[in-house]
Amino acid sequence: MQVTRTTEIWVGAFVALGLVALFFVSMQVSNLGDFKSSRGSYVLKAHFGNVGGLKVRAPVSMAGVTLGRVERISFDASRYEALVEMRIDPAFKQLPEDTSASILTAGLLGEQYIGLSAGGSDDFLKDGDEIELTQSAVILEQLISKLMFNKAEEGKTEAKKSTRDAPMATSAVTTSAPRPIQPPDAVPSTSVVPEAAPVPLTPKAESEVQQKNKSKSPKSSHKASAVKRSSAPSSEHHASPRADHASKKKAH
Amino acid sequence: MQPTQAPDDALVSIRDLSYSWGQRKIFDGVSLDIPRGKVTAIMGPSGTGKTTLLKLIGGQLRPERGSIYFNGKNVHALGMDELYELRKEMGMLFQSGALLTDINVYDNVAFPLREHTGLPESMIRTLVLMKLEAVGLRGARNLMPSELSGGMARRVALARAIALDPSMLMYDEPFTGQDPISMGVLVKLIHDLNKELGLTSIVVSHDVKETMEIADHVCIISAGKVVGQGSKEQIADSDSTWIRQFIDGAPDGPVPFHYPAEDYRVDLIGRIDLNQRH
Amino acid sequence: MVIFFQKLGQETLKGIGKLGRAVVFIAHALTGTPELLRRPGLLLAQMYSVGVLSILLISISGLFVGMVLALQGFNVLSDFGAEESLGVMVAASLVRELGPVVTALLFAGRAGSALTAEIGLMKATEQLSGMEMMAVDPVKRIIAPRLFSGTISMPLLAALFTAIGVLGGYFVGVGLLGVDQGPFWSQMQSQIDFWDDSVNGFIKSLVFGAVVTGIAVFEGYDAIPTAEGVSRATTRSVVYAAFAVLGSDFVLTALMFGD
């Protein structure tokens, strides 16, 4: 069977059309275009008390701009914490050494991502460095039970009835702890709750920022830092999901 | 009647061949020889598996028992590649012509050449036109198979079958459904090609008159057995009642007119009725 | 009761026999690969009839599926005030599922049935036998190019379907319903992962292409060589292909997205 010129042209056009469509699906529809080159990118590490629903390949962003992706999430058996490795684009080489990382949620019930906020140091993070200042994911059940617990504590002085709720709430904390849900954009409530709670809460269930001094033994820092600093860091991450959209809009 | 030793002049020799289609036994211990360089006619009533015999010779079907030798090689003991190599030596003309329907006459004849020879297009053109000229259809080279009459399609298929210059040609019912003119053309073609190209031909047919005209050697098969085998004259003068009936086309004889059935009167009137009357 | 078991046994044996024939047949066709590489023209001719002639059907279907997805998605998402996720919804459904699956089903109807009928008729008119007697292996010469061209065409067609579907969703979502185009694209890009979604969708369509054409050519080759036999084989080809696509889609999805 002889193949005519027309057939050849048609088949050529078909294959070209298919490849253009494949290219479109890869670059425009999915996120392959995000990484123009992974060459020169570098890895940062961070320990989190709880990563919540963070997934591999989740974005790592600062001021709403995506700088990289989560590459690996593993369990650090020596510290009983999660070790997250992030691959950062080579364009963002100059992150201060005292940059802090927190696990945030995009929108109501959205995906979780890592938000970085820059510190003031003159030294920059290098490949393989660890981010010392971290804030864990907010776990919805813990938040709710904490809220209930606080309410119960408040009610104790007023009416005897409400004391019965308290043990229930604490038991809820211990049983429901291992399974995290996507928490809401919980920044306002985190900043409120610890202030309203004079009573120290179960340490593991706490949303926390850990100051990890290398001099301290890891275990003791883990226990000690529970409540102390919890209200401090997150207000500046507040706007990031929105800003994320805005910046992407610019990209088009 | 059934030689165990193949004569030296036999191109194809079949020994003790048995083949069944489902439950039905089509061949039961058939042995016959196809002499080299002659036209051998294989005749028999419809449904005796004459086409099946050709497919067995071509290696498309596998016999249950027995063997077929082509030029000294056991067809069914060959591997795939050797079998395909062997088939280049055979040409087959199918009843329908079996032309490839999506390409024209020229490309149909060129098909085996392009598949097997790797010759340049100009040489293929020369060969194709020669083969088409031999069957008298050089002018029809641009027609599509659907535009051909049955007789023309068979002639194109014939041109295609001789494209590779085989040493044997098998014709499957070449005369069926042809008007007298195209029948005459085909008879002449088969005869001439056999003489000019030095082919061995096997013609499977039940058109006695035309077949007897061109055949040198005749073999008659019925009910899975070879009934008669010999030269044209031997068969024509045979005194076997069965062969006589077949050659003369008598409606009744050893092959009954009626398909085996219950007694006609019993079938019509009914058994009980008949019993009561007696 | 005994008769029931006998029937069941017969059918099972028939099914196993057919499966065995299919495996031998496909393996035989694959041995034609080297010959096909020597003569890419054979592949080209089949790419035309299998791929090029399906472009129009696939494009139009993709456009409408994308547009309908956008309309439906908008209704649901606007209830939650999440219209901006429309792009994600349309693209995710298309890239992961609808692109490969719907394309495969359309492909089975358009190209698969044509392949079965063509091969079945070639068998019925003794063209395949004729080729064998011309010392040309019909499985290598006829089946192998069709099998490969189907397997190659299908991912291209699925990509076309997905791309046009996303564009259709864009026209309806952004053009008609007034979704902002920035988040439409940016959310899509941040949520659809190249490896997890696009590549998996591509693998799916490759598998579907092989399955659909494999079934089509086998049913054609295995058809009873009569008019009725070919028509039955064509019906079977489409029905089996649809079952096989949906079944293998479940298995592939479980493997790929089931974490």
Side-chain angles (χ1 to χ4, degrees):
Chain A
M1 197 185 309
Q2 288 304 90
V3 177
T4 64
R5 227 173 92 84
T6 342
T7 315
E8 285 176 352
I9 293 170
W10 269 110
V11 173
F14 166 56
V15 173
L17 201 66
L19 291 180
V20 166
L22 273 178
F23 184 77
F24 175 82
V25 170
S26 322
M27 303 305 283
Q28 183 72 8
V29 175
S30 58
N31 56 1
L32 190 66
D34 282 8
F35 291 89
K36 274 111 206 157
S37 68
S38 61
R39 210 179 297 163
S41 64
Y42 64 107
V43 174
L44 295 181
K45 292 176 193 161
H47 279 91
F48 290 94
N50 195 331
V51 290
L54 189 73
K55 301 248 169 61
V56 172
R57 300 199 57 80
V60 177
S61 65
M62 177 181 274
V65 181
T66 303
L67 308 186
R69 303 252 160 209
V70 171
E71 190 166 71
R72 212 157 73 90
I73 300 173
S74 53
F75 183 68
D76 185 347
S78 63
R79 288 168 65 160
Y80 303 106
E81 286 181 332
L83 175 64
V84 174
E85 288 169 43
M86 301 161 258
R87 184 164 288 279
I88 308 294
D89 256 23
F92 311 103
K93 274 230 159 86
Q94 305 195 323
L95 299 177
E97 218 171 31
D98 54 351
T99 296
S100 68
S102 38
I103 297 177
L104 304 169
T105 308
L108 189 78
L109 303 179
E111 287 282 311
Q112 291 194 309
Y113 66 99
I114 293 185
L116 301 180
S117 42
S121 169
D122 290 335
D123 297 325
F124 299 122
L125 287 163
K126 297 183 299 294
D127 187 32
D129 278 359
E130 181 168 349
I131 296 175
E132 305 287 348
L133 283 158
T134 61
Q135 185 193 23
S136 285
V138 174
I139 310 296
L140 193 61
E141 289 102 319
Q142 296 174 357
L143 209 68
I144 292 171
S145 60
K146 194 158 60 183
L147 215 87
M148 286 171 70
F149 189 76
N150 292 339
K151 276 270 186 290
E153 287 296 316
E154 280 168 25
K156 220 180 206 173
T157 51
E158 291 158 22
K160 274 215 162 180
K161 194 185 81 172
S162 53
T163 48
R164 255 177 263 153
D165 295 336
M168 275 167 69
T170 41
S171 73
V173 169
T174 47
T175 52
S176 66
R179 184 163 163 67
I181 297 189
Q182 312 278 347
D185 195 359
V187 181
S189 43
T190 28
S191 56
V192 171
V193 172
E195 283 164 13
V199 188
L201 297 164
T202 46
K204 275 179 195 163
E206 195 54 43
S207 100
E208 57 193 354
V209 169
Q210 298 180 351
Q211 174 80 61
K212 282 161 200 143
N213 289 330
K214 277 168 189 164
S215 56
K216 272 187 186 173
S217 94
K219 274 191 183 176
S220 68
S221 79
H222 173 65
K223 273 185 184 166
S225 60
V227 188
K228 245 196 299 185
R229 303 177 56 96
S230 55
S231 67
S234 48
S235 57
E236 66 209 79
H237 296 307
H238 201 148
S240 37
R242 294 266 151 248
D244 200 14
H245 293 165
S247 69
K248 287 245 166 124
K249 214 184 280 184
K250 244 187 287 168
H252 288 277
Chain B
M1 207 85 206
Q2 294 193 349
T4 45
Q5 195 63 44
D8 290 339
D9 66 339
L11 181 67
V12 178
S13 40
I14 298 169
R15 289 289 169 274
D16 193 26
L17 181 79
S18 292
Y19 184 80
S20 307
W21 189 263
Q23 298 291 320
R24 228 185 70 186
K25 226 168 173 73
I26 292 180
F27 295 118
D28 187 9
V30 168
S31 295
L32 56 88
D33 292 301
I34 312 286
R36 209 181 285 268
K38 290 186 177 163
V39 178
T40 303
I42 295 176
M43 294 197 280
S46 319
T48 43
K50 301 184 296 292
T51 307
T52 310
L53 184 65
L54 293 188
K55 289 195 167 176
L56 282 163
I57 294 175
Q60 287 186 304
L61 298 174
R62 191 162 274 279
E64 272 158 27
R65 195 155 50 78
S67 47
I68 296 174
Y69 292 91
F70 178 87
N71 223 351
K73 286 178 212 149
N74 186 345
V75 174
H76 297 98
L78 297 176
M80 261 301 189
D81 294 338
E82 293 166 304
L83 182 60
Y84 275 101
E85 207 49 48
L86 189 72
R87 280 183 188 156
K88 291 183 190 171
E89 295 287 301
M90 309 175 183
M92 180 150 165
L93 184 71
F94 283 84
Q95 197 170 347
S96 60
L99 295 177
L100 302 174
T101 43
D102 55 344
I103 52 180
N104 66 18
V105 167
Y106 178 92
D107 288 330
N108 257 294
V109 179
F111 182 83
L113 294 169
R114 287 185 181 139
E115 289 294 321
H116 291 306
T117 61
L119 291 172
E121 220 26 58
S122 62
M123 205 179 279
I124 285 181
R125 189 185 130 88
T126 315
L127 284 170
V128 170
L129 293 185
M130 276 167 61
K131 306 294 175 189
L132 279 175
E133 176 69 20
V135 297
L137 288 177
R138 191 163 45 85
R141 72 185 100 154
N142 290 325
L143 296 181
M144 294 301 283
S146 55
E147 297 168 304
L148 300 174
S149 71
M152 283 161 83
R154 265 176 230 189
R155 280 150 73 188
V156 173
L158 188 56
R160 187 179 65 176
I162 58 173
L164 285 175
D165 293 322
S167 53
M168 180 177 81
L169 262 182
M170 297 186 273
Y171 302 87
D172 186 7
E173 307 274 8
F175 309 120
T176 318
Q178 299 294 313
D179 61 76
I181 300 173
S182 45
M183 193 141 29
V185 169
L186 282 165
V187 168
K188 180 179 170 312
L189 271 176
I190 295 171
H191 184 253
D192 292 355
L193 283 176
N194 198 67
K195 264 176 101 174
E196 285 162 21
L197 303 176
L199 291 169
T200 303
S201 302
I202 306 176
V203 181
V204 153
S205 179
H206 46 236
D207 293 291
V208 176
K209 189 175 136 288
E210 287 75 19
T211 315
M212 290 299 266
E213 224 173 90
I214 49 172
D216 304 309
H217 188 83
V218 178
C219 180
I220 297 178
I221 299 180
S222 176
K225 303 253 187 214
V226 177
V227 184
Q229 188 174 202
S231 71
K232 178 161 58 173
E233 292 74 24
Q234 282 174 320
I235 295 294
D237 300 338
S238 170
D239 48 6
S240 147
T241 47
W242 198 98
I243 295 176
R244 282 256 62 82
Q245 189 200 352
F246 186 76
I247 300 287
D248 302 338
D252 212 349
V255 179
F257 171 72
H258 294 290
Y259 193 84
E262 241 182 324
D263 184 83
Y264 188 40
R265 278 180 306 167
V266 173
D267 220 3
L268 277 185
I269 304 163
R271 189 172 296 278
I272 305 157
D273 215 315
L274 209 70
N275 286 343
Q276 279 172 343
R277 210 175 281 177
H278 283 279
Chain C
M1 201 58 185
V2 175
I3 291 171
F4 170 76
F5 282 119
Q6 188 190 355
K7 276 251 180 225
L8 191 68
Q10 274 175 1
E11 289 300 315
T12 312
L13 289 178
K14 246 164 74 182
I16 292 173
K18 188 165 184 177
L19 203 66
R21 286 204 304 282
V23 169
V24 170
F25 170 76
I26 296 293
H28 185 177
L30 291 181
T31 60
T33 318
E35 205 179 315
L36 206 58
L37 292 176
R38 273 206 311 278
R39 298 175 60 190
L42 293 178
L43 201 63
L44 212 64
Q46 290 312 314
M47 288 279 284
Y48 180 79
S49 63
V50 169
V52 174
L53 296 182
S54 307
I55 290 180
L56 196 67
L57 172 75
I58 297 294
S59 313
I60 292 175
S61 314
L63 186 69
F64 280 102
V65 167
M67 293 193 329
V68 168
L69 271 178
L71 274 178
Q72 292 282 12
F74 184 81
N75 283 338
V76 175
L77 291 173
S78 62
D79 288 349
F80 299 103
E83 294 94 336
E84 291 172 344
S85 300
L86 188 65
V88 184
M89 208 211 82
V90 171
S93 342
L94 281 169
V95 171
R96 289 183 191 166
E97 282 298 327
L98 291 179
V101 172
V102 176
T103 310
L105 294 178
L106 291 170
F107 187 73
R110 165 70 186 74
S113 62
L115 281 178
T116 309
E118 185 190 12
I119 294 168
L121 277 175
M122 285 180 97
K123 187 180 183 188
T125 54
E126 293 186 306
Q127 292 183 47
L128 297 182
S129 271
M131 269 191 200
E132 267 182 37
M133 288 312 297
M134 284 188 278
V136 175
D137 188 342
V139 176
K140 289 181 183 171
R141 178 63 175 68
I142 297 291
I143 306 295
R146 283 164 175 75
L147 192 62
F148 278 97
S149 63
T151 313
I152 296 170
S153 298
M154 180 54 210
L156 297 176
L157 289 171
L160 194 67
F161 184 95
T162 307
I164 289 182
V166 169
L167 290 178
Y170 175 81
F171 289 137
V172 168
V174 176
L176 296 180
L177 301 173
V179 175
D180 192 33
Q181 67 146 322
F184 182 89
W185 290 115
S186 65
Q187 287 216 5
M188 191 190 297
Q189 284 165 357
S190 64
Q191 296 289 309
I192 310 284
D193 186 77
F194 175 71
W195 291 106
D196 286 351
D197 297 317
S198 303
V199 171
N200 279 346
F202 180 82
I203 293 172
K204 269 189 184 179
S205 58
L206 202 65
V207 173
F208 294 164
V211 165
V212 169
T213 21
I215 289 177
V217 291
F218 175 69
E219 285 295 343
Y221 193 78
D222 205 46
I224 300 162
T226 60
E228 198 201 357
V230 173
S231 88
R232 278 173 184 233
T234 310
T235 312
R236 267 205 311 271
S237 157
V238 176
V239 171
Y240 288 174
F243 280 147
V245 163
L246 297 172
S248 58
D249 181 46
F250 175 75
V251 175
L252 288 174
T253 308
L255 286 178
M256 288 169 174
F257 301 105
D259 278 333

